[in-house]
Amino acid sequence: MKIAVCPGSFDPVTLGHLDIIERASKLFDKVIVLVSFNKNKNKAVFSTKERIEMIIAVTKDLDNVVVDCFDGLLADYLKMTGAEVIVKGLRAVSDFEYEFQMALANKKLYNDAETVFLTTAGENMFLSSSVVKEIASFGGDISGFVSPAILEKIKNRLCPNTDAQQADNAV
Ligand code: PNS
């Protein structure tokens, strides 16, 4: 059984992530979407539990996809679970240097680990969790960037003046 891991911060999961997860689910027997920790990033807006819940909500129709979290090295998670493939989405040349470095480091830490890069769909080239958070925090429309299943949750958290938040506050 070929098990692949899609690691990331997923703060929050975007349609760009979802596209990569869906395509990985067609290539591998099982895909573990792994909420992992990026030491180079500031504190996450959404808790680990919230990020997991959002990923579960958007992947509920993908039978061979499961969600997990791990706060150690990705290479150690692979050794522990028997997964041998790391799937990452590549948006642009700017992603490449960092991702290339990660792939080589993970290979050095665990020789069986193969990193597979899937090119992001053209319409998602610009898309990232940070872009979603920035637009949402100004009350902009993020409906084209995240799944409808998690749209209200993100708006509620990031744009406190929306109708949804006012309704939330009234309860
Ligand atoms: O979505 P991100 O923030 O680009 O994902 C980066 C992530 C979380 C996949 C990466 O930082 C990671 O693998 N973290 C786990 C710790 C680890 O193994 N670091 C790499 C050592 S070479």
Side-chain angles (χ1 to χ4, degrees):
M1 188 191 229
K2 273 279 171 219
I3 306 174
V5 175
C6 285
S9 307
F10 303 110
D11 184 41
V13 63
T14 67
L15 290 181
H17 293 129
L18 189 55
D19 171 54
I20 299 295
I21 295 165
E22 277 172 356
R23 284 157 59 199
S25 77
K26 292 182 189 145
L27 295 172
F28 300 98
D29 300 311
K30 178 177 171 182
V31 172
I32 306 171
V33 182
L34 189 70
V35 176
S36 335
F37 295 85
N38 184 339
K39 298 230 177 210
N40 300 315
K41 285 190 176 167
N42 295 330
K43 193 177 178 310
V45 167
F46 296 94
S47 70
T48 304
K49 182 168 173 281
E50 287 174 315
R51 285 181 273 160
I52 289 173
E53 283 167 358
M54 287 191 277
I55 300 168
I56 290 173
V58 303
T59 59
K60 67 176 178 9
D61 295 330
L62 302 173
D63 291 340
N64 62 340
V65 173
V66 297
V67 188
D68 198 4
C69 66
F70 190 62
D71 63 3
L73 284 172
L74 184 56
D76 289 339
Y77 184 84
L78 265 73
K79 286 180 199 166
M80 212 172 73
T81 54
E84 289 180 348
V85 180
I86 300 165
V87 176
K88 300 296 294 274
L90 266 191
R91 281 170 301 198
V93 180
S94 53
D95 278 348
F96 185 74
E97 194 173 341
Y98 172 74
E99 293 297 348
F100 188 63
Q101 195 180 22
M102 286 294 115
L104 292 179
N106 283 321
K107 183 90 180 143
K108 186 81 182 165
L109 289 169
Y110 182 38
N111 194 46
D112 288 347
E114 294 295 348
T115 300
V116 170
F117 293 112
L118 298 182
T119 49
T120 288
E123 66 269 25
N124 295 328
M125 280 290 282
F126 68 96
L127 188 51
S128 69
S129 300
S130 306
V131 164
V132 167
K133 286 183 281 193
E134 169 107 9
I135 295 171
S137 70
F138 287 105
D141 180 11
I142 54 164
S143 59
F145 309 149
V146 299
S147 162
I150 60 170
L151 181 62
E152 289 309 314
K153 182 175 180 67
I154 298 168
K155 278 164 53 177
N156 283 352
R157 176 66 50 85
L158 288 157
C159 192
N161 295 322
T162 59
D163 293 346
Q165 180 67 34
Q166 281 161 12
D168 230 27
N169 290 341
V171 180

